[in-house]
Amino acid sequence: MRQHKHLSLLGLWVENCLGRVLAQLGLMAALEIIVFGARLYLLPERPMEEVLKGVPSLFMAGWIALFHLLAHCGDERRAVGCTLRRLRVSEGAALAWKGLFGAACFLLLWVVQTAVCLGMGLWYAAAVGPAYRSAQTVLLAFYRVPFLHSLLPLAETAGYLRNLLFAAAMGLETGLGSWRMRRGSRALFGRAMAVAAAFLFSQGMGGLTGSLWLGLGAAALAGLDALLALTYGEEGME
């Protein structure tokens, strides 16, 4: 019965948010493809990092917008409050499940963006002339271009761990954002963390190992924020 309650709570977030998350990711991907296609048409004989300009900015905007969406959707105060009381689920459990759902959505953002950029790499390799094309055009682009390397770090294992930590931190902060908004407060710390993570996401070769500390720091700060909020009330690190 207890498990059923928690699954019902998770289902609340999924039902209210997942469709909007998928729509936002689809819009982001479509805009990126349009921008990339236009630049590839206008700059047919340029390195991929030049053709790719504009896509990283759209990704950053998508990252920040996803945080905003997850912090708000599915949390109409009265409806969620009634559901929590009806299911007799603690606020801590609600925060954990919303954080887990939020982390999964940020992982989905990572997967979607990586797939889109792989497709762009193949498109670029098929469209440019021999001077910019080789058997390893796509692979070399993911080594050379910081944004692409941050999405798919290849042999730099620390990059995968950093991205997982970023997703966990963002997920927990979206849960805290919802928790605060149900109490009439705001999620300023979470928004600031989302902006910082978006701007610090792109790192070149070797930089991801150093930026692993950023991921660890973000996860630690989000965990501390949750602990303070649940222990001392709404403020946390606001």
Side-chain angles (χ1 to χ4, degrees), residues 12-36:
L12 175 69
W13 310 135
V14 173
E15 180 182 357
N16 290 341
C17 303
L18 185 58
R20 282 180 270 185
V21 169
L22 294 176
Q24 180 180 303
L25 294 181
L27 176 61
M28 181 193 74
L31 290 174
E32 290 176 354
I33 291 169
I34 291 171
V35 168
F36 182 82

Side-chain angles (χ1 to χ4, degrees), residues 132-187:
Y132 294 97
R133 181 176 63 220
S134 72
Q136 295 184 317
T137 297
V138 179
L139 179 65
L140 292 175
F142 275 85
Y143 269 113
R144 188 179 66 250
V145 182
F147 174 62
L148 298 181
H149 186 65
S150 297
L151 289 171
L152 192 61
L154 301 172
E156 200 168 353
T157 308
Y160 299 101
L161 181 56
R162 184 209 68 158
N163 291 350
L164 290 172
L165 288 169
F166 271 165
M170 290 296 95
L172 186 53
E173 284 296 333
T174 59
L176 283 165
S178 298
W179 186 87
R180 288 185 171 111
M181 288 174 193
R182 291 200 298 273
R183 289 158 176 75
S185 186
R186 293 174 290 180

Side-chain angles (χ1 to χ4, degrees), residues 79-141:
V80 173
C82 290
T83 300
L84 293 178
R85 287 192 296 272
R86 177 173 58 82
L87 295 175
R88 296 182 181 179
V89 175
S90 69
E91 285 286 0
L95 171 59
W97 282 113
K98 183 65 181 288
L100 180 63
F101 176 73
C105 289
F106 272 92
L107 289 176
L108 182 60
L109 169 64
W110 178 19
V111 170
V112 168
Q113 185 64 76
T114 302
V116 169
C117 286
L118 282 170
M120 289 176 178
L122 295 172
W123 185 5
Y124 174 86
V128 298
Y132 294 97
R133 181 176 63 220
S134 72
Q136 295 184 317
T137 297
V138 179
L139 179 65
L140 292 175

Side-chain angles (χ1 to χ4, degrees), residues 14 30 32 43 57 101 105 144 160 188 194-196 203 207 214 225:
V14 173
E32 290 176 354
L43 306 169
S57 297
F101 176 73
C105 289
R144 188 179 66 250
Y160 299 101
L188 298 180
V195 171
Q203 302 288 333
L214 294 174
D225 191 17

